[in-house]
Amino acid sequence: MEQQQATSPRPDRTAPDGFGGIEAGDVIDVEQAEAALVEHYPRLVRLAYLVLPPGVSRGRRVLAAHAVVQRSLPRQRTSTQGLELPAQRRGDDCDPGYAFVRLRVLRSALASGRPRWRLPAMPPLLPQVWGLRLFPRAGGADELALDQALSELSRPGRAAFVLRELERLGAPEIRRLLEAAGVAEAREALEEADAVEAPAGSRDRSLLESVEFDPCALQARPTDLIRRRQHVRAVLAAGVAVLVCGALLGLPGDGWGPDGAAAPPYAQNVSAEAALDPAKLTVVTPQAWRTSARTDFSAWPARGDRLGDKALLRRALAVWARPGAGVPVSATPGTATGPPAGPPQLLFAGVVDHAVVVLFHDGLRVVRYAEAADADGHSDGSGAGLDFARTDGAQTSSAGALVVNRTEGNIRYLAAPWVRSVRLVDLLKPTGASEAVAVGASGLTAPVPLPRPDRKCTAWPALRMGGHTLTDLGELTPARLTYGPPRSPGGVSTPQARSAWARTACQLAAVRGQGVRTVNSWEFARQPLPGAAGAASGSAAATWVCTRAETWRGAGNRTMAQFQAPSPNGQPYAPGVVVARAEGGTACGPRAPRVLAGVLWKAAGGQWWLLAAGSEQVTSITATGGVQGRADGRLLAVRARAGDRAELDGLLRDGKKLAALR
């Protein structure tokens, strides 16, 4: 369940001391308080959520915050005389009802934060959720840092910080409001709040107004679907309960409970049971890769802060072997999703953002198991999911990183143990500076932006890692980018390579989710343009580029030919025009490093031309059909008309014909 971020206007901007115009002895009607509560409910709940102690899970804090606000409504007309509010001059824009309810919310939230606190008692009519775990959406690094800073404050200090940043109150108003809420040491609370070194928000709003701290814009995850289903079955099968219990006790390990979201086992097999035993997982030592004959995923050590969590590992293995009906499973094309043939290798087990992630490798595949975690990193198997990616035949260049988590437009990688430097680059800005990416002791990178393959395509993030350029194409394994002849491509390191990829990167959206291993871009020809085309930009030649995406499975390769005319003024790296696409085949690949392509192009003077170019093996090109012509060599330019269609054929050095890519 996700909703747009709920906000409400600040109703007390002109109140001189934070009480919204309340004078001692004022009477607040129940209807007036209810109207203020309903109108500003999202803001009040956010206030309660931020002030409540952070020592429990985010889901419990969400329910407690809603309970605190809903219980703040008085049962009858209430005088402010007992609230010990000093009388003051009323402001024109003040809302006494809101100030009254805010004070009650603040007092209740502060009372819930006393030592050995418990959540407010919630009568049946107050918020309760069965079968779901609710928690706010995750924020970025700044929000996480601010949340950590708030958790280290005392409850009055936290309240002072929230009133200043969220309610935009001054120090005198905050002090008087805290004193009215029962805080004896309000001045010390203000000093504690002033000492917080928190990241700055945007120009017009505080970080406290982000979705990370919004208990009204929630994500929902299931809790214990399998166990509830098992309970129903147990009730219906009460007559055979003894037999069922006997069968459960006979299962390996601890029975059904630790398996989380796994479906019932389908066989009792010694080898299959060994593959589900966490104690038999293959674990590589941290320094083994230095002397290993192979530097691929088999040389990766096991890393993460949950390597010793046997219950987590058992759940992950059980769900992998037999995922339940409610477990989403994704796999790259051509990747089997069956159970492991034997004990797999453990690559990672740990908490990443708001998920617990386990990565396995069985020699052919990388498997990612993830389940939801609360703010303290605790998990119970709910919200489990599986991802599979084929990785057979991996080498050092293609085993440099794995995707661990994607959240809120960012992505985290697990870097290979031999990676020492990670830098973030924008492929669309070949002359731009790169940015260092922090890598933790466990090999996890800091969050980096995800590529956004939209129509505008204003940026395409990539990583320079271990001497290679990698980019995310929506899978567990990032794709490696190369440049040069198909049989001997190099890295994206020279100015020519970076410029070529700047005009090609936006085309990567066409191969997302296809199990891509590498993408090579190859400039196979340069062609002078008829007339004075390109004179304004200082170049009268177009570039022909062939880009080929190779997959892990071998089949399903994608090839496209681009015609890159001279860039217009102000757009030095404008994307090229894709003139041909092909799926499968060997064109532009190491087995057949040759290609022929053509395009109908309009010159600046209005004349249409049929342009064609081939790789260096082409000795002549012939056009037939709507446009006819022939040229020796590997370039062709023939006058044409708009809408003409032609067939292109090339002749190779060995006398064989080469058809145009299509």
Side-chain angles (χ1 to χ4, degrees), residues 294 296-298 332-336 361-366 389-395 398-399 477 515 517 551-555:
R294 297 166 53 185
D296 55 11
F297 294 114
S298 66
T332 56
T335 305
H361 178 242
D362 67 353
L364 298 176
R365 303 166 295 175
V366 167
R390 189 167 172 173
T391 57
D392 51 314
Q395 300 173 347
S398 51
T477 54
R517 179 176 184 168
T551 65
W552 285 94
R553 64 189 185 278

Short mmCIF file of all heavy atoms in Angstrom, two decimals, residues 294 296-298 332-336 361-366 389-395 398-399 477 515 517 551-555:
data_model
loop_
_atom_site.label_atom_id
_atom_site.label_comp_id
_atom_site.label_asym_id
_atom_site.label_seq_id
_atom_site.Cartn_x
_atom_site.Cartn_y
_atom_site.Cartn_z
N ARG A 294 41.03 -19.46 -10.54
CA ARG A 294 39.94 -18.76 -11.23
C ARG A 294 39.52 -17.57 -10.39
O ARG A 294 39.37 -17.67 -9.17
CB ARG A 294 38.75 -19.70 -11.43
CG ARG A 294 39.03 -20.88 -12.31
CD ARG A 294 37.94 -21.93 -12.19
NE ARG A 294 36.62 -21.38 -12.41
CZ ARG A 294 35.49 -22.08 -12.26
NH1 ARG A 294 35.54 -23.34 -11.87
NH2 ARG A 294 34.33 -21.51 -12.50
N ASP A 296 36.52 -15.78 -10.48
CA ASP A 296 35.12 -15.57 -10.82
C ASP A 296 34.32 -15.65 -9.53
O ASP A 296 34.87 -15.50 -8.43
CB ASP A 296 34.66 -16.60 -11.87
CG ASP A 296 34.91 -18.03 -11.41
OD1 ASP A 296 35.24 -18.24 -10.23
OD2 ASP A 296 34.79 -18.95 -12.25
N PHE A 297 33.02 -15.91 -9.63
CA PHE A 297 32.20 -15.92 -8.42
C PHE A 297 32.59 -17.04 -7.46
O PHE A 297 32.34 -16.95 -6.25
CB PHE A 297 30.72 -16.05 -8.80
CG PHE A 297 30.18 -14.86 -9.54
CD1 PHE A 297 29.77 -14.97 -10.85
CD2 PHE A 297 30.10 -13.62 -8.92
CE1 PHE A 297 29.28 -13.87 -11.55
CE2 PHE A 297 29.61 -12.51 -9.60
CZ PHE A 297 29.20 -12.64 -10.92
N SER A 298 33.19 -18.11 -7.97
CA SER A 298 33.60 -19.21 -7.09
C SER A 298 34.71 -18.80 -6.13
O SER A 298 34.94 -19.48 -5.13
CB SER A 298 34.05 -20.41 -7.93
OG SER A 298 35.23 -20.10 -8.65
N THR A 332 16.28 -14.21 -15.20
CA THR A 332 16.66 -13.73 -16.53
C THR A 332 16.32 -14.80 -17.56
O THR A 332 16.24 -15.99 -17.23
CB THR A 332 18.17 -13.43 -16.57
OG1 THR A 332 18.89 -14.60 -16.18
CG2 THR A 332 18.50 -12.29 -15.62
N PRO A 333 16.09 -14.44 -18.82
CA PRO A 333 15.74 -15.43 -19.84
C PRO A 333 16.76 -16.56 -19.91
O PRO A 333 17.97 -16.33 -19.88
CB PRO A 333 15.72 -14.61 -21.13
CG PRO A 333 15.40 -13.22 -20.70
CD PRO A 333 16.08 -13.07 -19.37
N GLY A 334 16.24 -17.78 -19.99
CA GLY A 334 17.11 -18.93 -20.09
C GLY A 334 17.69 -19.40 -18.78
O GLY A 334 18.57 -20.27 -18.78
N THR A 335 17.23 -18.88 -17.65
CA THR A 335 17.76 -19.27 -16.34
C THR A 335 16.78 -20.19 -15.64
O THR A 335 15.61 -19.83 -15.46
CB THR A 335 18.03 -18.04 -15.47
OG1 THR A 335 18.90 -17.14 -16.17
CG2 THR A 335 18.67 -18.43 -14.16
N ALA A 336 17.23 -21.36 -15.23
CA ALA A 336 16.38 -22.29 -14.51
C ALA A 336 16.14 -21.78 -13.10
O ALA A 336 17.00 -21.15 -12.49
CB ALA A 336 17.04 -23.67 -14.47
N HIS A 361 25.54 -18.90 -4.83
CA HIS A 361 26.08 -19.23 -6.16
C HIS A 361 26.22 -20.74 -6.24
O HIS A 361 26.83 -21.36 -5.36
CB HIS A 361 27.44 -18.56 -6.35
CG HIS A 361 28.08 -18.88 -7.67
ND1 HIS A 361 29.30 -19.54 -7.77
CD2 HIS A 361 27.67 -18.65 -8.94
CE1 HIS A 361 29.60 -19.69 -9.04
NE2 HIS A 361 28.64 -19.16 -9.77
N ASP A 362 25.63 -21.35 -7.27
CA ASP A 362 25.69 -22.80 -7.39
C ASP A 362 26.53 -23.26 -8.57
O ASP A 362 26.41 -24.41 -9.02
CB ASP A 362 24.29 -23.40 -7.48
CG ASP A 362 23.56 -23.04 -8.77
OD1 ASP A 362 24.09 -22.20 -9.53
OD2 ASP A 362 22.47 -23.59 -9.02
N GLY A 363 27.38 -22.39 -9.10
CA GLY A 363 28.21 -22.73 -10.22
C GLY A 363 27.64 -22.31 -11.56
O GLY A 363 28.37 -22.02 -12.50
N LEU A 364 26.30 -22.29 -11.66
CA LEU A 364 25.62 -21.89 -12.89
C LEU A 364 24.81 -20.62 -12.72
O LEU A 364 24.58 -19.90 -13.69
CB LEU A 364 24.68 -23.01 -13.37
CG LEU A 364 25.33 -24.34 -13.73
CD1 LEU A 364 24.25 -25.36 -14.09
CD2 LEU A 364 26.30 -24.17 -14.89
N ARG A 365 24.36 -20.38 -11.50
CA ARG A 365 23.46 -19.27 -11.25
C ARG A 365 23.86 -18.51 -9.99
O ARG A 365 24.48 -19.08 -9.09
CB ARG A 365 22.01 -19.76 -11.07
CG ARG A 365 21.46 -20.56 -12.21
CD ARG A 365 20.18 -21.28 -11.80
NE ARG A 365 20.44 -22.28 -10.77
CZ ARG A 365 19.50 -22.99 -10.16
NH1 ARG A 365 18.23 -22.80 -10.47
NH2 ARG A 365 19.81 -23.90 -9.24
N VAL A 366 23.47 -17.25 -9.95
CA VAL A 366 23.46 -16.48 -8.71
C VAL A 366 22.01 -16.33 -8.29
O VAL A 366 21.14 -16.00 -9.12
CB VAL A 366 24.12 -15.10 -8.88
CG1 VAL A 366 23.81 -14.20 -7.70
CG2 VAL A 366 25.62 -15.26 -9.04
N ALA A 389 19.77 -15.40 -11.73
CA ALA A 389 20.52 -14.89 -12.88
C ALA A 389 21.57 -15.93 -13.27
O ALA A 389 22.26 -16.49 -12.41
CB ALA A 389 21.19 -13.56 -12.56
N ARG A 390 21.68 -16.15 -14.55
CA ARG A 390 22.65 -17.12 -15.04
C ARG A 390 24.04 -16.50 -15.08
O ARG A 390 24.21 -15.36 -15.54
CB ARG A 390 22.24 -17.56 -16.44
CG ARG A 390 23.03 -18.72 -17.00
CD ARG A 390 22.34 -19.28 -18.22
NE ARG A 390 23.16 -20.28 -18.90
CZ ARG A 390 22.73 -21.02 -19.91
NH1 ARG A 390 21.49 -20.87 -20.35
NH2 ARG A 390 23.53 -21.90 -20.48
N THR A 391 25.05 -17.26 -14.59
CA THR A 391 26.41 -16.72 -14.52
C THR A 391 27.46 -17.75 -14.94
O THR A 391 28.63 -17.60 -14.58
CB THR A 391 26.73 -16.24 -13.10
OG1 THR A 391 26.56 -17.33 -12.18
CG2 THR A 391 25.84 -15.09 -12.69
N ASP A 392 27.05 -18.81 -15.66
CA ASP A 392 28.03 -19.82 -16.04
C ASP A 392 29.04 -19.22 -17.02
O ASP A 392 28.70 -18.42 -17.88
CB ASP A 392 27.34 -21.04 -16.65
CG ASP A 392 26.37 -20.65 -17.75
OD1 ASP A 392 25.59 -19.70 -17.54
OD2 ASP A 392 26.37 -21.28 -18.82
N GLY A 393 30.28 -19.63 -16.88
CA GLY A 393 31.34 -19.11 -17.75
C GLY A 393 31.81 -17.73 -17.37
O GLY A 393 32.47 -17.05 -18.17
N ALA A 394 31.52 -17.28 -16.15
CA ALA A 394 31.94 -15.94 -15.74
C ALA A 394 33.47 -15.88 -15.64
O ALA A 394 34.13 -16.86 -15.29
CB ALA A 394 31.31 -15.58 -14.40
N GLN A 395 34.00 -14.71 -15.94
CA GLN A 395 35.43 -14.45 -15.83
C GLN A 395 35.65 -13.24 -14.94
O GLN A 395 34.69 -12.66 -14.42
CB GLN A 395 36.02 -14.22 -17.22
CG GLN A 395 35.86 -15.41 -18.17
CD GLN A 395 36.31 -15.08 -19.58
OE1 GLN A 395 36.53 -13.93 -19.92
NE2 GLN A 395 36.46 -16.12 -20.40
N SER A 398 33.59 -10.22 -15.87
CA SER A 398 32.14 -10.30 -15.73
C SER A 398 31.72 -10.73 -14.34
O SER A 398 30.53 -10.98 -14.10
CB SER A 398 31.55 -11.27 -16.76
OG SER A 398 32.21 -12.51 -16.73
N ALA A 399 32.66 -10.85 -13.41
CA ALA A 399 32.34 -11.23 -12.03
C ALA A 399 32.80 -10.15 -11.07
O ALA A 399 33.23 -10.43 -9.96
CB ALA A 399 33.01 -12.56 -11.68
N THR A 477 23.18 -9.24 -12.31
CA THR A 477 24.54 -9.00 -12.78
C THR A 477 24.56 -7.75 -13.65
O THR A 477 23.82 -7.68 -14.64
CB THR A 477 25.05 -10.20 -13.59
OG1 THR A 477 24.11 -10.50 -14.63
CG2 THR A 477 25.21 -11.41 -12.69
N GLY A 515 19.02 -10.66 -19.88
CA GLY A 515 20.14 -11.52 -19.51
C GLY A 515 21.44 -11.13 -20.17
O GLY A 515 22.24 -11.99 -20.54
N ARG A 517 25.15 -9.93 -20.84
CA ARG A 517 26.45 -10.08 -20.19
C ARG A 517 27.39 -8.93 -20.55
O ARG A 517 28.00 -8.31 -19.67
CB ARG A 517 27.07 -11.41 -20.60
CG ARG A 517 28.45 -11.68 -20.03
CD ARG A 517 28.90 -13.08 -20.42
NE ARG A 517 30.17 -13.44 -19.83
CZ ARG A 517 30.67 -14.67 -19.84
NH1 ARG A 517 29.99 -15.64 -20.40
NH2 ARG A 517 31.83 -14.92 -19.28
N THR A 551 24.46 -12.22 -24.51
CA THR A 551 23.77 -12.71 -23.33
C THR A 551 24.55 -13.82 -22.65
O THR A 551 25.43 -14.45 -23.25
CB THR A 551 22.37 -13.24 -23.70
OG1 THR A 551 22.52 -14.39 -24.55
CG2 THR A 551 21.56 -12.18 -24.44
N TRP A 552 24.20 -14.09 -21.39
CA TRP A 552 24.83 -15.17 -20.65
C TRP A 552 24.47 -16.53 -21.25
O TRP A 552 25.26 -17.47 -21.20
CB TRP A 552 24.39 -15.13 -19.19
CG TRP A 552 25.03 -14.04 -18.39
CD1 TRP A 552 24.53 -12.79 -18.16
CD2 TRP A 552 26.29 -14.08 -17.73
NE1 TRP A 552 25.39 -12.06 -17.38
CE2 TRP A 552 26.48 -12.83 -17.10
CE3 TRP A 552 27.27 -15.05 -17.59
CZ2 TRP A 552 27.61 -12.53 -16.36
CZ3 TRP A 552 28.40 -14.76 -16.84
CH2 TRP A 552 28.58 -13.51 -16.23
N ARG A 553 23.27 -16.66 -21.81
CA ARG A 553 22.82 -17.96 -22.30
C ARG A 553 23.32 -18.26 -23.71
O ARG A 553 23.15 -19.38 -24.19
CB ARG A 553 21.30 -18.04 -22.27
CG ARG A 553 20.60 -17.04 -23.18
CD ARG A 553 19.10 -17.03 -22.91
NE ARG A 553 18.36 -16.17 -23.82
CZ ARG A 553 18.24 -14.86 -23.69
NH1 ARG A 553 18.83 -14.25 -22.67
NH2 ARG A 553 17.53 -14.15 -24.55
N GLY A 554 23.89 -17.27 -24.41
CA GLY A 554 24.38 -17.47 -25.76
C GLY A 554 23.36 -17.11 -26.81
O GLY A 554 23.69 -16.45 -27.80
N ALA A 555 22.11 -17.50 -26.65
CA ALA A 555 21.06 -17.14 -27.60
C ALA A 555 20.45 -15.80 -27.21
O ALA A 555 20.65 -15.29 -26.11
CB ALA A 555 19.99 -18.23 -27.63
#
